[in-house]
Amino acid sequence: MTLCEKLGIGLVSRSFSHRAVYRNGGTSYDLSDCEPAACKQDIEAFARKVGKADCVFTGEAGKQAL
């Protein structure tokens, strides 16, 4: 079995062990120490700025091979 296959199997196994957490909309890790209200306010402020903008540029960073 290759290293890539071992890593893939390990990741899938861990994701299955946390499926109840994911199903309830959570994550198995703390992604941020930001309070939810502050994040919501940031998102609302960003949405207002996008709404007022004349144009919005979007893009994707280059993908790296693992």
Side-chain angles (χ1 to χ4, degrees):
M1 184 179 298
T2 67
L3 175 62
C4 186
E5 291 170 327
K6 289 178 185 177
L7 289 172
I9 290 170
L11 289 171
V12 169
S13 297
R14 276 185 272 167
S15 69
F16 280 126
S17 67
H18 296 293
R19 67 179 162 217
V21 174
Y22 299 138
R23 191 179 314 122
N24 292 325
T27 65
S28 57
Y29 303 98
D30 290 332
L31 299 178
S32 173
D33 58 0
C34 178
E35 292 295 322
C39 289
K40 184 178 178 185
Q41 292 169 354
D42 288 344
I43 292 169
E44 290 170 349
F46 176 75
R48 280 193 302 275
K49 289 178 183 178
V50 168
K52 293 179 183 179
D54 293 330
C55 64
V56 177
F57 291 96
T58 62
E60 179 180 335
K63 296 181 180 179
Q64 293 181 337
L66 297 177

